[in-house]
Amino acid sequence: MDKSKIEELFSRGVGKFVDPDGKFRNKLETNPEKIVIKLGVDPNRPDIHLGHAVILHKLRQFQELGCKVVFLIGDITAMIGDPTGKSKIRPEIEYTEIQKNMNTFLDQVDKILLKDPKVFSWTMNSDWLISINDIIAPDNQEIKININNKTIATTPPLPGNHILAKAYHWEKTRRQKDNINSYTLVSLLAILRKITFSRLIERDMFQDRIKEGLPIFMHEMLYPVIQGIDSNAISNIYGSCDLEVGGTDQLFNMLVGRDIMEMNQKTPQAVLSFRLLEGTDGKEKMSKSMDNYIGITDEPNDMYGKVMSIPDSSILNYFELCTFTPMDEIEEIKKKLEKSSANPKDIKMNLAKQIVAIYHGEEKAQKAEKSFISTFQKGEIPEKMTELDGKGGKPLMDILVEAKVLSSKGEFRRLIEEKAVTNLDADKKITDVNFVPQKGMKFKVGKKTFIKII
């Protein structure tokens, strides 16, 4: 095994690695194919962005060494809401939306993770956090009772609250069927007896809320406990849960998982946290809710333009976390920036091209670079624009928001105030928030978005 690759796994982009007795490190070097690594994701929103990809690329490296990655979809914890980094309570999300987001996540991880069953599996925590009594079964089910693949009887139509209907639906909807123990109130209380209130309330975000007189709800305090139960369940199903990975904001939750595994006489998981990738604003962590994200499925030109919009202060972090550029080369880039011996824009163009190439290939990365140069450096209007339907005489504001070009009408008003919406046909800034466009008109919205009304 290449020791230099191992060293980079535990250093590049890493916030903290917790492996007190060195058991994980030793197992990785001797029996990597026996290792199970957990990544838990709550599908609150559908798209995977570069912040998620930091961890996924690291997991790909573990897979290439032979480790199995378990991609845990937190369909139940998504409804609880992780309070990490939140000063306010996260609103509840409908289960149908969670399921839709879950499918999108699974489709998108293909871009980074290997899907060979030897090194990949996925599961949902509803498999062990939901019992038969929680199931809402369809009414009027007729259930066939089979023995040795032969139907020996069929029930009459059953109401949805009948125990047989619930049991049938529960069995059909579970992904994991072996080595599963549903966690009940009794098993939860057994865990809570060994976790102190002071341990849970010490978290920074809770202390901040207390100071501000904001409420803390019990379901939020239980979130790290549920996350720890997930690690214990994965250990039951896969034989071990050797490592949990996440952002530095997840460190507390992952350490609680170690405690819960120890309570259940399991070898506690090692914990590997990664530095958070800041968004395009260069301030807050990358997040869809902050509208400062770069999605891994963004169109090449959009992805390139978004990378070019990051502040110069983020260049080095993006190189380290989002590319495969060797660390010694990144150190050289750092020196050039410090000495002002290179133009940050040129370095950023190299960065943008590398990131686009990772997700779309070298050819599309080159085209995106050419498009950026002609559109933004030479001041040309691109030949291809996003075409939007202006039928019905709707204001431009409504057209942009409905097409999700902008996230809200408030964002459009802000752009108008900043004189950042241009009628390209008349070469004039739009000043009327209720402006109604005509067919064929072209607009530049913000710094990098061009649209045409059809």
Side-chain angles (χ1 to χ4, degrees), residues 336-361:
K336 289 178 181 179
L337 289 171
E338 288 174 346
K339 295 178 181 178
S340 300
S341 60
N343 188 332
K345 185 179 70 176
D346 295 335
I347 293 175
K348 220 183 292 185
M349 288 177 69
N350 178 24
L351 172 65
K353 187 178 178 181
Q354 285 194 43
I355 290 176
V356 174
I358 288 171
Y359 299 101
H360 296 285

Side-chain angles (χ1 to χ4, degrees), residues 388 394-401 406 412 416 421-422 430 432-437 443 445 451 453:
L388 301 180
K394 293 179 182 178
L396 180 61
M397 175 171 62
D398 293 348
I399 294 171
L400 294 173
V401 172
L406 300 178
F412 181 80
I416 291 294
V421 181
T422 305
I430 302 295
D432 180 7
V433 294
N434 296 312
F435 179 84
V436 177
F443 299 90
V445 182
I451 66 150
I453 303 299

Side-chain angles (χ1 to χ4, degrees), residues 268-422:
Q269 63 188 15
V271 167
L272 185 60
S273 68
F274 300 100
R275 298 204 315 268
L276 300 176
L277 180 68
E278 68 272 26
T280 52
D281 55 5
K283 298 175 182 177
E284 303 290 340
K285 78 170 185 176
M286 187 170 286
S287 165
K288 286 208 72 177
S289 60
M290 296 293 295
D291 196 30
N292 65 355
Y293 72 99
I294 303 173
I296 67 170
T297 56
D298 282 352
E299 290 298 315
N301 289 355
D302 289 342
M303 183 179 285
Y304 192 101
K306 286 180 180 180
V307 176
M308 290 302 297
S309 72
I310 68 171
D312 294 349
S313 58
S314 292
I315 290 174
L316 294 174
N317 209 31
Y318 270 66
F319 263 110
E320 181 175 351
L321 298 180
C322 302
T323 76
F324 303 120
T325 303
M327 290 303 298
D328 55 350
E329 290 184 24
I330 295 175
E331 188 61 32
E332 289 300 315
I333 293 171
K334 180 181 179 182
K335 290 176 182 177
K336 289 178 181 179
L337 289 171
E338 288 174 346
K339 295 178 181 178
S340 300
S341 60
N343 188 332
K345 185 179 70 176
D346 295 335
I347 293 175
K348 220 183 292 185
M349 288 177 69
N350 178 24
L351 172 65
K353 187 178 178 181
Q354 285 194 43
I355 290 176
V356 174
I358 288 171
Y359 299 101
H360 296 285
E362 187 64 32
E363 183 180 346
K364 290 184 178 179
Q366 290 177 2
K367 288 181 179 179
E369 183 174 67
K370 289 179 181 178
S371 175
F372 179 84
I373 292 171
S374 64
T375 303
F376 296 99
Q377 290 189 272
K378 296 181 180 178
E380 296 178 9
I381 298 172
E383 292 181 11
K384 291 186 178 181
M385 299 185 184
T386 301
E387 296 183 339
L388 301 180
D389 187 359
K391 188 167 59 178
K394 293 179 182 178
L396 180 61
M397 175 171 62
D398 293 348
I399 294 171
L400 294 173
V401 172
E402 288 174 12
K404 297 184 179 179
V405 172
L406 300 178
S407 60
S408 66
K409 293 182 179 181
E411 185 181 0
F412 181 80
R413 293 188 182 96
R414 176 179 59 78
L415 290 171
I416 291 294
E417 290 175 5
E418 295 173 355
K419 297 182 179 179
V421 181
T422 305

Side-chain angles (χ1 to χ4, degrees), residues 32-47:
E33 69 282 352
K34 299 291 185 182
I35 281 179
V36 174
I37 302 175
K38 169 196 172 190
L39 170 64
V41 177
D42 287 351
N44 308 306
R45 292 177 180 270
D47 294 328

